[in-house]
Amino acid sequence: MKIIVCIKQVPNTNEVKIDPVKGTLIREGVPSIINPDDLSGIEAALQIKDQCKDVHIAVITMGPPQADVALREALAMGCDEAYLVSDRAFAGADTWATSATLAGTIKYLGYDLIITGRQAIDGDTAQVGPQIAEHLGIPNISYAEEIEVGEDHIVVKRQYEDRYQRIQAKLPALITALTELNQPRYMSVGGIVDAYEKKEVKTLTYADLDVFIDPANIGLKGSPTRVKKSFTKAPKGKGVVHQVSEDEAVEIIIEKLKEHYIV
């Protein structure tokens, strides 16, 4: 079985700032991490490899050369190979163009199961995974909290706000993983050495993938999304402190709940 895990290197959202003029994220000087949901996707693939024979894991990301670091972290965790999809032709891509490029890359590599994170913390669209499945014409099961793999199918426990679904789908298929799916393992010392000294991060450009990608669907020109405005979240207003008795506090809370139509 060949598992493809799609990951994204994202800025640490605790330190993100927005350019007040351009309305874009200021990434310079901001530490980058592997998107948390994607880390759970890596761990899910590794757990399948621990349980099943003949499982090969390839991890891919689309981004600038510095995304190499995220891929090597995935290799250090136990993935078998890594691919950096990087070319100026892919720059400025929205979710549609990103998913089209990744789908072409996945066709190029071959696959049985694809695992992506539910969504990236720098965008929160939750669109890329399902769009990849749509480009490839395969089943997509999102919000995965548990995964069972059979010989030719998968069974996924899918999370909703107030219920669960158990869904079975034939392979090939795509799963989007939740952070709650598992606890990602740490990189091992030997894994880190192998990731930097023995394993290679292979770079794929448009020239490598042009047979599998429609040029009308890549980069800024192939992106139908247009961002009108970006802005930082307004700071939360100062709270009100009531120095009152317990009974009075209960009355105040009830009144506030009524004001917001909660009770």
Side-chain angles (χ1 to χ4, degrees):
M1 173 187 287
K2 185 167 187 178
I3 302 176
I4 303 289
V5 183
C6 300
I7 70 170
K8 185 179 183 182
Q9 187 183 54
V10 296
N12 188 328
T13 51
N14 291 327
E15 302 183 37
V16 161
K17 296 179 181 179
I18 293 180
D19 187 312
V21 178
K22 298 179 181 178
T24 56
L25 291 177
I26 300 174
R27 296 177 183 267
E28 292 76 13
V30 179
S32 295
I33 59 173
I34 295 179
N35 182 58
D37 283 351
D38 300 344
L39 268 177
S40 292
I42 294 172
E43 178 61 28
L46 292 171
Q47 289 182 8
I48 294 171
K49 184 177 180 179
D50 291 341
Q51 298 166 7
C52 306
K53 296 180 180 179
D54 300 322
V55 173
H56 185 86
I57 303 171
V59 59
I60 65 175
T61 191
M62 188 175 97
Q66 55 264 36
D68 172 276
V69 176
L71 291 169
R72 292 194 186 277
E73 182 175 338
L75 290 173
M77 290 174 68
C79 294
D80 298 296
E81 56 181 347
Y83 294 87
L84 173 61
V85 183
S86 187
D87 195 303
R88 288 189 179 275
F90 302 142
D94 66 358
T95 60
W96 173 259
T98 298
S99 61
T101 303
L102 291 174
T105 305
I106 292 167
K107 286 181 183 178
Y108 170 82
L109 296 174
Y111 62 97
D112 295 297
L113 176 64
I114 305 164
I115 303 177
T116 75
R118 167 190 50 181
Q119 60 195 57
I121 58 175
D122 63 346
D124 283 337
T125 64
Q127 294 173 354
V128 172
Q131 286 177 344
I132 291 173
E134 186 68 20
H135 287 300
L136 296 174
I138 61 174
N140 164 53
I141 306 176
S142 55
Y143 302 98
E145 194 173 85
E146 292 180 8
I147 302 172
E148 300 173 18
V149 178
E151 291 185 4
D152 62 349
H153 68 277
I154 54 171
V155 179
V156 176
K157 181 181 179 182
R158 185 183 190 194
Q159 183 192 84
Y160 283 93
E161 290 184 359
D162 58 349
R163 65 181 65 88
Y164 294 95
Q165 283 183 333
R166 293 190 71 84
I167 300 175
Q168 178 173 312
K170 287 188 176 181
L171 297 174
L174 183 146
I175 299 169
T176 69
L178 293 171
T179 305
E180 296 88 343
L181 177 62
N182 51 48
Q183 179 63 49
R185 66 193 67 186
Y186 291 106
M187 298 177 286
S188 66
V189 175
I192 294 172
V193 173
D194 289 347
Y196 281 90
E197 295 187 2
K198 296 182 179 180
K199 293 184 179 180
E200 177 187 4
V201 173
K202 302 170 186 176
T203 300
L204 298 176
T205 65
Y206 176 69
D208 299 307
L209 304 170
D210 61 347
V211 175
F212 302 94
I213 300 174
D214 183 347
N217 288 333
I218 65 171
L220 183 60
K221 291 184 178 179
S223 300
T225 306
R226 294 293 180 266
V227 178
K228 184 177 180 181
K229 184 179 180 182
S230 296
F231 51 90
T232 56
K233 184 178 179 181
K236 189 175 181 181
K238 186 178 179 180
V240 179
V241 177
H242 296 276
Q243 299 289 347
V244 296
S245 67
E246 292 182 0
D247 291 339
E248 291 172 322
V250 170
E251 291 180 6
I252 291 171
I253 292 171
I254 292 174
E255 287 302 316
K256 289 295 180 183
L257 292 174
K258 288 180 178 179
E259 285 180 16
H260 293 84
Y261 302 100
I262 297 175
V263 296

